[in-house]
Amino acid sequence: MTPMAFVHSPLDRKANHRSDAGWLQQRRAARNAKFIQVHGDAVRMQEGKLAVAAPASAETPLVFLGEEAGGTPWFAFAGNSEGEMQALRPLMVGGALAPAELSILAQARSLVHWHEKHGFCAACGQKTEMSDGGYRRHCAACGADHFPRTDPVVIMAVQHGGNILLGRQKAWAPGMYSAIAGFMEPGETIEQAVAREVLEETGVVTGAVRYVASQPWPFPSSLMIGCIAEAVASQITLDEKELENARWFSRADVRLMLDHKHPEGIHASHPWAIAHTVISAALQ
Ligand SMILES: [Zn+2]
């Protein structure tokens, strides 16, 4: 099992049932139904475990997340219970939750965030209503439908002559290096986005691109697309607005950095992030 966070959801999303209000009501009333409360980046916990009680009001809009094998339905809703909310990132880093729960939380956090930000129609400005178990918002005033968004990000290990290019941002922990990354733009292929981001941030020209893996990243709703790119030359011209530094590292250095055993005290991304997976794949 990959150590990446957020990729182990056990839920069947039952997408072909979600527009059936009667079916959803039945799932909501199921005695074993679980309800996750989300507020911003935080989730409601109780005595070190994920709280799964139903919201106090039956009117609270619910997002249907899916069903576990055996039929346990999961829902999510927005709400703040001060003192019991814990931020998702430290829960991920600390390993307090099972991989499956963390993955369900990623879906919950991204969807609830989208609903909180899309209460009004982008076409006409009137109020929208949640529909299809949370996978659509409908505007009764102009008839427009709005759908939850996912923001693709390319993240890549760049190779040249046996070395691997990694960069670091100023805001990161001292000594931390990672794969180059950036948001895709409309009208781009994944391969074009990889080439553009690497060129913009490091000045390195790349050729062939190979897909490795992907990871939902719910801060708030990214999809990380992990790739390996082959550089055609090694010259670095740093964009100092984006990166504090970028360097070519030998494969031996990168192995030590991933294991946090490098003598210079430098290290590479942690296993819960796809950067670790992508950099490891480049070492194969
Ligand atoms: Zn409208």
Side-chain angles (χ1 to χ4, degrees):
M1 188 169 93
T2 169
M4 271 197 290
F6 311 127
V7 300
H8 300 288
S9 176
L11 300 185
D12 175 349
R13 296 182 179 223
K14 302 275 181 192
N16 50 353
H17 291 286
R18 292 188 305 225
S19 55
D20 181 344
W23 183 87
L24 276 177
Q25 193 51 46
Q26 216 177 45
R27 305 321 301 140
R28 178 183 188 147
R31 215 180 313 161
N32 57 353
K34 295 184 174 178
F35 303 84
I36 304 173
Q37 186 178 329
V38 182
H39 178 70
D41 256 356
V43 60
R44 187 176 173 191
M45 299 284 288
Q46 205 169 22
E47 291 166 6
K49 290 187 176 153
L50 188 61
V52 291
S57 163
E59 304 301 311
T60 303
L62 294 178
V63 172
F64 178 67
L65 300 172
E67 248 177 41
E68 274 181 80
T72 299
W74 285 74
F75 292 87
F77 63 99
N80 189 9
S81 297
E82 282 184 31
E84 295 181 309
M85 306 305 290
Q86 289 190 26
L88 189 48
R89 227 179 268 259
L91 285 173
M92 168 186 77
V93 173
L97 296 171
E101 284 180 328
L102 207 54
S103 305
I104 295 171
L105 284 184
Q107 182 189 2
R109 189 270 184 274
S110 292
L111 277 164
V112 168
H113 175 267
W114 180 75
H115 285 287
E116 288 185 319
K117 300 289 178 197
H118 292 79
F120 294 89
C121 179
C124 77
Q126 297 299 304
K127 274 199 164 172
T128 57
E129 294 284 338
M130 186 191 288
S131 140
D132 293 0
Y135 294 81
R136 181 161 68 102
R137 291 193 74 88
H138 182 69
C139 173
C142 78
D145 285 311
H146 304 279
F147 299 92
R149 60 184 286 172
T150 297
D151 303 316
V153 173
V154 286
I155 179 162
M156 42 278 167
V158 181
Q159 294 180 314
H160 188 259
N163 294 326
I164 297 173
L165 177 69
L166 301 175
R168 67 165 273 111
Q169 295 178 11
K170 212 174 264 175
W172 291 352
M176 158 86 171
Y177 280 81
S178 188
I180 309 298
F183 281 103
M184 289 188 64
E185 294 187 352
E188 258 181 339
T189 65
I190 291 172
E191 292 84 346
Q192 288 165 346
V194 167
R196 177 183 53 75
E197 283 291 341
V198 174
L199 184 65
E200 279 175 10
E201 296 195 11
T202 69
V204 171
V205 177
T206 52
V209 171
R210 162 162 82 83
Y211 170 81
V212 176
S214 65
Q215 180 188 33
W217 193 247
F219 304 104
S221 53
S222 294
L223 173 68
M224 310 300 288
I225 302 168
C227 298
I228 294 174
E230 302 294 334
V232 299
S234 61
Q235 177 65 39
I236 294 173
T237 309
L238 200 62
D239 175 356
E240 288 176 3
K241 285 199 299 286
E242 296 275 349
L243 293 177
E244 183 183 72
N245 194 15
R247 275 171 65 180
W248 290 100
F249 293 96
S250 73
R251 299 160 74 84
D253 274 338
V254 173
R255 274 198 191 93
L256 291 169
M257 289 164 72
L258 286 173
D259 291 342
H260 284 239
K261 288 179 180 161
H262 197 284
E264 284 177 48
I266 51 176
H267 58 277
S269 312
H270 297 275
W272 57 76
I274 192 173
H276 188 100
T277 301
V278 167
I279 296 167
S280 300
L283 291 176
Q284 299 302 307

